[in-house]
């Protein structure tokens, strides 16, 4: 297989494992809690230890990859995630489960950003859009098959087996990574910023964990507010520290790059809105409409189907319209489909709901591909590890914030209506709120230069070719050679 496709598929094994793991656990939570002698509420709080572990260790991923080599760190991270999965399967108490999830979080914190770094260092920029699309296709399969597979295994076998699904996939990923990924590492790794890691770890853990439990009634509001406050103070101290060090674990100076800045700020707002969907939609289907978890899963997986359908067209669409135009318009279009969920009622035909979710998933996935790709348009090779770390942290915080905003919106609606029980009508305002936030990201995407990411998308080649009337030159210029060679030809 061509390297431009093989490397993304290898990296995708990590994303598949992570996505499969999270969706399967959500389905099997009551059975796990009953078996180890605790309540689902307590176990849900324990599962958030994975989020804490991610937040603490992600900032160290870039330096670790530079120091020991992205290939070895990626393979090692997959191995650590597998050990955590085995630990979860062998857990007999909440304490065991917490430690196993922390170990999984350590592996996950390295797998995703380092996997993305492997991709960026192995694939030419001209093929980056296609590579990003390929890497997410297997990863999207996890949310599709996770809920029904988890329910089937838990019902007919034992919940322990849901964690062992990762083992053969992990072994395959490690073997393929060591065989086909080049052993690239930095010749002059920067000194490790331990003080910055501690400040950033406390800050990100406090904010991410606080936001993830806000509105879920897992902890008192005073504790949630304290977590977010401590996290915010720690991050403020980190920002001050980062200005004084030459090798910060989170390099905010990269925000001076217009495309990365738009991807970080605009991407955060877009992900915040869309990140609330996996939280709100299953609740609406099950609590509001009275569907079973299996029926709800069959409806909500439609978004992932639409997302997978888009991947084959992403490169062509971005090349035709350019990053700025596409991302600006598509942010609004995607948000309209998100807002359409507010119109769902118990009498809305399930087929219509699924059609809206499929089409909405198509546009949302297109936007994610563009956001994830344009972030690295202006990043130099020496800055890639820092950039991937910053992007990964931003994604994690955005998803946590999305759940918090969605939950807070539902609770506020219930309070204003004086309702004590959750019903379908309580969800409509929440969908509108997150859709507005998501649509507001369009302003940040519009601030990018008109030619943003042209060297990645091939848009520049298309424009020059159309002026000369030579369509074949566009295809050749957009797909052949390195960035420097292509720019020299076009000059």
């Amino acid at each position: 297989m061509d390297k431009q496709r093989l490397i993304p598929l290898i990296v995708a094994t990590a994303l598949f494992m992570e996505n499969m793991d999270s969706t399967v656990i959500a389905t099997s939570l009551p059975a796990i809690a009953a078996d180890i002698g605790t309540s689902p509420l307590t176990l849900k709080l324990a599962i958030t230890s994975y989020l804490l572990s991610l937040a603490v260790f992600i900032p160290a991923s870039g330096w670790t990859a530079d120091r020991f080599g992205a290939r070895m760190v990626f393979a090692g991270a997959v191995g650590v995630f597998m050990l955590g999965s085995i630990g979860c399967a062998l857990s007999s108490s909440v304490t065991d489960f917490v430690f196993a999830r922390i170990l999984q979080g350590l592996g996950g914190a390295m797998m995703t950003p380092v996997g993305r770094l492997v991709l960026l260092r192995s694939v030419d920029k001209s093929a980056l859009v296609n590579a990003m699309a390929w890497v997410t296709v297997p990863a999207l399969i996890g949310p599709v098959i996770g809920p029904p597979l988890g329910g089937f295994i838990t019902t007919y076998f034992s919940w322990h087996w849901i964690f062992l699904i990762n083992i053969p996939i992990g072994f395959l990923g490690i073997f393929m990574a060591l065989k086909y990924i080049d052993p690239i590492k930095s010749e002059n790794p920067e000194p490790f910023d331990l003080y910055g890691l501690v400040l950033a770890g406390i800050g990100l853990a406090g904010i991410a964990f606080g936001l993830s439990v806000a509105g879920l009634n897992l902890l008192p509001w005073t504790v949630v507010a304290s977590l977010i406050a401590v996290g915010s103070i720690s991050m403020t101290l980190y920002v001050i520290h980062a200005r004084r060090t030459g090798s910060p674990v989170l390099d905010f100076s990269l925000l001076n790059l217009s495309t990365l800045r738009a991807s970080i700020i605009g991407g955060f707002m877009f992900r915040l809105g869309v990140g609330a969907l996996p939280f709100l939609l299953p609740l609406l289907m099950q609590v509001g409409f009275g569907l079973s978890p299996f029926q709800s899963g069959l409806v909500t997986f439609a978004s992932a189907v639409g997302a997978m359908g888009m991947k084959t067209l992403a490169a062509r669409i971005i090349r035709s319209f350019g990053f700025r135009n596409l991302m600006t318009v598509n942010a609004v279009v995607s948000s309209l489909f998100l807002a359409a969920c507010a119109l769902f009622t118990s009498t809305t035909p399930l087929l219509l709901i699924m059609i809206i979710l499929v089409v909405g998933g198509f546009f949302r996935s297109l936007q994610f591909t563009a956001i994830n790709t344009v972030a690295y348009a202006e990043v130099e090779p020496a800055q890639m590890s820092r950039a991937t770390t910053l992007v990964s942290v931003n994604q994690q915080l955005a998803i946590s914030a999305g759940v918090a905003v969605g939950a807070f919106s539902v609770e506020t609606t219930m309070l204003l209506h004086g309702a004590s029980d959750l019903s379908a009508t309580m969800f409509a305002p929440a969908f509108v709120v997150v859709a507005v936030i998501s649509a507001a990201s369009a302003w940040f995407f519009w601030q990018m230069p008109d030619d943003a990411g042209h060297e990645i998308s091939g848009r520049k080649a298309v424009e020059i070719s159309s002026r000369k009337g030579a369509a074949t030159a566009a295809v050749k210029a957009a797909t052949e050679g390195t960035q420097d060679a292509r720019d020299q030809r076009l000059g």
Side-chain angles (χ1 to χ4, degrees), residues 26 62 93 95 140 145 163 197 246 279 298 306-307 319 322 358 374 419 468 476 491:
S93 68
T95 303
L140 288 169
I145 67 175
F163 294 101
L197 177 65
F279 168 74
L298 291 178
R319 185 166 60 247
V358 167
V374 79
K468 294 180 178 180
K476 183 176 181 180

Side-chain angles (χ1 to χ4, degrees), residues 89-441:
L90 299 177
S91 296
S92 58
S93 68
V94 174
T95 303
D96 295 341
F97 201 78
V98 167
F99 280 113
R101 289 294 287 172
I102 290 175
L103 189 60
Q104 274 191 315
L106 172 58
M110 298 291 168
M111 280 197 314
T112 303
V114 176
R116 188 178 289 116
L117 182 61
V118 166
L119 185 69
L120 292 168
R121 288 180 173 175
S122 304
V123 176
D124 181 69
K125 277 193 173 184
S126 64
L128 193 55
V129 175
N130 269 324
M132 284 293 186
W134 273 95
V135 82
T136 51
V137 169
L140 288 169
I141 298 175
V144 175
I145 67 175
L149 181 61
F152 178 81
I153 292 175
T154 303
T155 301
Y156 297 104
F157 296 95
S158 169
W159 65 265
H160 303 81
W161 288 99
I162 66 176
F163 294 101
L164 301 179
I165 300 172
N166 293 328
I167 306 307
I169 300 170
F171 276 124
L172 177 64
I174 292 174
F175 170 76
M176 297 290 284
L178 295 178
K179 184 174 178 64
Y180 294 107
I181 295 176
D182 296 330
I184 304 172
K185 65 179 180 179
S186 176
E187 296 181 358
N188 299 302
E190 298 175 336
F192 186 52
D193 182 19
L194 179 60
Y195 180 62
L197 177 65
V198 172
L199 286 177
I202 294 174
L204 293 171
I207 295 172
F209 184 66
L211 290 174
S212 68
V213 298
L216 300 181
N217 295 321
L218 297 178
L219 293 173
W221 269 106
T222 52
V223 176
V224 174
S226 298
L227 284 169
I228 297 176
V230 170
S232 300
I233 293 171
S234 185
M235 281 305 298
T236 302
L237 293 175
Y238 171 76
V239 171
I240 297 173
H241 162 76
R243 293 175 177 174
R244 301 173 180 172
T245 181
S247 54
V249 290
L250 293 176
D251 189 0
F252 294 116
S253 68
L254 291 174
L255 295 179
N256 291 326
L257 303 176
S258 61
T259 48
L260 183 61
R261 182 171 63 250
S263 178
I264 292 289
I265 301 176
F268 181 89
M269 297 182 67
F270 185 79
R271 279 193 178 88
L272 187 153
V274 176
L277 188 62
F279 168 74
L280 292 173
L281 201 56
L283 278 178
L284 174 63
M285 294 293 153
Q286 296 179 42
V287 179
F289 298 165
L291 300 182
S292 69
F294 182 69
Q295 291 172 320
S296 171
L298 291 178
V299 173
T300 56
F301 93 97
S303 291
V305 173
M308 286 190 291
M310 183 283 309
K311 294 306 178 182
T312 57
L313 303 175
R316 192 178 308 168
I317 295 173
I318 293 173
R319 185 166 60 247
S320 297
F321 298 99
F323 278 105
R324 189 182 76 157
N325 296 334
L326 172 71
M327 294 169 72
T328 302
V329 175
N330 195 47
V332 178
V333 173
S334 300
S335 300
L336 289 176
F337 279 96
L338 184 59
C341 296
L343 303 176
F344 294 164
T345 67
S346 57
T347 59
T348 305
L350 289 182
L351 179 60
L352 177 59
I353 292 177
M354 293 184 70
I355 291 174
I356 292 175
L357 293 178
V358 167
V359 179
F362 177 95
F363 288 107
R364 286 190 293 272
S365 184
L366 177 61
Q367 191 75 355
F368 283 139
T369 299
I371 291 172
N372 292 336
T373 307
V374 79
Y376 307 102
E378 300 175 271
V379 179
E380 298 296 331
Q383 301 172 311
M384 281 297 183
S385 60
R386 292 187 184 184
T388 55
T389 301
L390 195 62
V391 169
S392 297
V393 166
N394 182 67
Q395 291 175 349
Q396 192 62 48
L397 288 178
I399 294 171
S400 300
V403 174
V405 171
F408 180 76
S409 300
V410 172
E411 284 206 340
T412 302
T413 304
M414 292 177 64
L415 182 64
L416 293 176
H417 285 78
S420 57
D421 296 324
L422 194 59
S423 63
T425 56
M426 300 296 108
F427 288 90
F431 283 114
V432 174
V433 168
V434 295
V436 169
I437 295 174
S438 186
S441 66

